Amino acid sequence: MKKLFSVFLCAVLLIGISVIPIDAEDLSISAAAYELYCPDNGQVILSDQADRKLPMASTTKIMTTLITLEHAAKDNIAVEFTEEMTAEGSSMYLKIGEKVTLYDLAVGMMMQSGNDAANAAAIAIAGSTESFADLMNEKAREIGMTNTHFVTPSGLDDEQHYSTAHDMALLMAQALKNKAFAEITAQTSMTVDFISPSNKHVTYPNHNRLLKLYDSCIGGKTGYTDTAGRCLVTAAERDGLTLIAVTLDDRNDWNDHTALYDYGFDHLKAVQPSVDIPDSVCVVGGTGDTADLSVTDDSPLIIPADQADFVQSTLILPAFFYAPIQKNDTAGKVIFSINGEAIGERPLVFTENVGFNHKKRDFITYIKDLFNWHN
């Protein structure tokens, strides 16, 4: 039985904010490495060996698909399948001379785990799988995947092709921000209409069985090689709370993901606390006497479920402001706390511009105005 690490679960948006821990329960997870991650606040909930470098098999295609869809959004080109694009292993069964779009290659990767689709997309986008791997590694650095190195677009074994449970959680979180990726990964099957031959239409089932086994599952990617073992990256959402589970080399992955999600949804809750802020604040020396405010960040707070009814808010806001004021500038903040412990904060911003009033005032009037504004 592996040791579970319970970590701080509440969003820490600026330094100096405390967080509230929750106690972890004993879970028997079979994976060589795993992580349960909350992309809503960037916190690790449970993990073991999450920074251990391991092969990740076809879960690699999350990265390949993300890059492919980003290119397809700019120019969804038709790709003709060639000899150099062929690959061993899982396939969407493309034949030499057939044509599909970049988008449909992404479908083939996420549904059928097509190694041929991965090679075809890589070569069409970058000219070679080696050059495409450079794009993958560049994207990994942007995401913050510090213990990952990509060599193949498909995930076939290579000693220099590896990642970690934590890095793969970060990748899935980034991929879900892409609307097309999120839509594809949530489907239990999808149909590809070939450009050539135009009468070929193939429906591909999604290998991710968790979409049918777990009601809250919203997507994911499977992977397997003899070296990597069974690998699985999935995401689930319930009542505004999104979780990501990653298991590497796990013979019991479906059950383990279910257990991890059950734990996360039992112990965490997404809350949207009400915030009582003034409609406007006083402005000194402006073309107007007031400026309107708003809390533009409406992301939920992720907190222990049994603390959801104890969230309090504190307003940090000066009594007045000097003109000029720019729309979207920060005016103050709201700090959320439970039992006196800060768990997160949201900025207060101006929703309008207030110019500087160049009209001169005598000193007595200025002092009176300042006194009234301060009050």
Side-chain angles (χ1 to χ4, degrees):
M1 188 172 294
K2 294 181 170 63
K3 183 179 180 182
L4 305 181
F5 296 94
S6 175
V7 298
F8 297 131
L9 301 170
C10 301
V12 182
L13 303 180
L14 293 177
I15 60 171
I17 290 184
S18 304
V19 293
I20 298 176
I22 64 173
D23 292 328
E25 295 173 345
D26 248 2
L27 292 179
S28 180
I29 304 299
S30 303
Y34 71 88
E35 179 163 297
L36 180 64
Y37 176 78
C38 179
D40 297 326
N41 61 7
Q43 296 302 306
V44 176
I45 303 166
L46 299 173
S47 70
D48 185 37
Q49 302 292 312
D51 291 323
R52 180 183 173 188
K53 296 177 181 178
L54 292 168
M56 62 290 199
S58 283
T59 61
T60 295
K61 294 187 180 81
I62 298 173
M63 176 64 85
T64 308
T65 299
L66 175 60
I67 295 174
T68 298
L69 289 172
E70 288 176 346
H71 279 77
K74 300 174 184 176
D75 186 7
N76 190 25
I77 61 173
V79 179
E80 181 175 350
F81 194 69
T82 63
E83 179 71 31
E84 66 176 336
M85 296 173 179
T86 58
E88 61 181 81
S90 56
S91 174
M92 66 178 292
Y93 306 107
L94 295 170
K95 297 178 181 179
I96 294 173
E98 292 183 335
K99 292 182 181 180
V100 294
T101 64
L102 277 179
Y103 178 89
D104 285 330
L105 290 175
V107 171
M109 281 186 271
M110 292 305 293
M111 296 295 112
Q112 194 72 8
S113 197
N115 293 339
D116 51 355
N119 280 357
I123 293 170
I125 291 170
S128 69
T129 57
E130 293 80 9
S131 295
F132 189 80
D134 292 337
L135 296 180
M136 298 171 78
N137 289 314
E138 180 182 352
K139 175 70 73 173
R141 288 189 292 271
E142 292 174 1
I143 295 172
M145 301 171 67
T146 57
N147 291 305
T148 295
H149 186 258
F150 292 104
V151 176
T152 70
S154 61
L156 290 175
D157 293 328
D158 187 288
E159 288 185 358
Q160 296 304 312
H161 188 88
Y162 55 82
S163 188
T164 67
H166 179 65
D167 280 2
M168 293 305 293
L170 296 180
L171 174 57
M172 187 62 174
Q174 183 66 32
L176 287 172
K177 296 177 183 178
N178 183 290
K179 183 179 179 180
F181 180 95
E183 290 175 347
I184 292 173
T185 195
Q187 304 305 312
T188 56
S189 67
M190 292 187 72
T191 298
V192 171
D193 298 320
F194 282 61
I195 296 173
S196 178
S198 59
N199 63 345
K200 185 174 181 179
H201 313 280
V202 181
T203 298
Y204 297 101
N206 195 330
H207 288 183
N208 177 20
R209 290 172 52 200
L210 206 69
L211 284 168
K212 295 182 178 179
L213 294 173
Y214 198 78
D215 288 342
S216 298
C217 183
I218 58 172
K221 184 70 190 74
T222 60
Y224 174 81
T225 67
D226 289 341
T227 300
R230 293 177 62 87
C231 300
L232 183 62
V233 179
T234 64
E237 189 275 334
R238 184 182 298 171
D239 298 329
L241 172 63
T242 301
L243 299 175
I244 291 171
V246 180
T247 51
L248 300 178
D249 190 9
D250 184 3
R251 64 185 183 275
N252 196 32
D253 49 8
W254 306 119
N255 290 332
D256 285 343
H257 279 236
T258 296
L260 288 168
Y261 286 134
D262 284 347
Y263 177 89
F265 289 126
D266 284 346
H267 286 79
L268 295 176
K269 186 173 183 180
V271 298
Q272 193 65 261
S274 60
V275 180
D276 186 17
I277 64 171
D279 294 331
S280 62
V281 291
C282 295
V283 178
V284 175
T287 53
D289 293 333
T290 62
D292 292 342
L293 296 176
S294 176
V295 179
T296 57
D297 183 355
D298 60 356
S299 58
L301 294 173
I302 310 302
I303 62 175
D306 59 359
Q307 299 292 311
D309 295 331
F310 302 100
V311 179
Q312 296 179 318
S313 62
T314 302
L315 188 66
I316 306 298
L317 189 67
F320 64 93
F321 294 85
Y322 291 103
I325 286 171
Q326 297 294 319
K327 183 179 179 180
N328 295 325
D329 278 355
T330 299
K333 59 186 176 182
V334 180
I335 297 178
F336 300 102
S337 61
I338 298 177
N339 297 327
E341 294 289 334
I343 59 170
E345 63 182 54
R346 300 289 183 266
L348 293 171
V349 300
F350 297 108
T351 60
E352 60 181 330
N353 296 321
V354 179
F356 180 74
N357 186 355
H358 294 280
K359 183 179 179 180
K360 292 184 179 181
R361 291 173 293 164
D362 61 65
F363 181 74
I364 299 300
T365 302
Y366 180 84
I367 294 299
K368 288 181 178 179
D369 289 345
L370 186 60
F371 179 78
N372 288 333
W373 276 314
H374 182 73
N375 284 340

